[in-house]
């Protein structure tokens, strides 16, 4: 089980590194290069958060973290995140 988890973590880190590198050249730091976030941006930001929850090291992904902050600043998402904190 430990070897399987290690493989999964490595693959997740590789995928996040790829996504982070792709965001580096995008205008506005979004997947589609638009000022507004898309569903793809929201999904990718959620994957970054989920990866951290699972123990995947996410410290080196500055572009993904910036995207996550942009996604979290969307009013409806900010309200949902605040409600999630209230619930626990």
């Amino acid at each position: 089980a430990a070897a399987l988890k290690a493989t999964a973590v490595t693959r997740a880190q590789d995928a996040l590194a790829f996504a982070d590198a792709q965001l580096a050249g995008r205008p506005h730091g979004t997947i589609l290069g638009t000022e507004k976030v898309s569903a793809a941006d929201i999904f990718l930001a959620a994957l970054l958060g989920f990866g951290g929850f699972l123990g995947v090291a996410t410290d080196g992904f500055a572009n993904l973290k910036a995207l996550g902050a942009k996604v979290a600043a969307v009013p409806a998402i900010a309200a949902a995140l605040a409600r999630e904190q209230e619930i626990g």
Side-chain angles (χ1 to χ4, degrees), residues 1-17 47-48 50-58 61:
L4 180 61
K5 181 179 179 182
T7 299
V9 166
T10 299
R11 287 185 178 178
Q13 285 174 317
D14 290 347
L16 291 173
L47 286 179
L48 180 67
F50 190 64
F53 175 75
L54 293 176
V56 176
T58 60
F61 305 124

Side-chain angles (χ1 to χ4, degrees), residues 14-51:
D14 290 347
L16 291 173
F18 176 80
D20 190 73
Q22 295 302 307
L23 286 172
R26 307 271 180 183
H28 308 291
T30 61
I31 293 173
L32 299 177
T34 58
E35 287 186 39
K36 292 185 178 182
V37 299
S38 67
D41 297 314
I42 295 166
F43 180 72
L44 190 54
L47 286 179
L48 180 67
F50 190 64

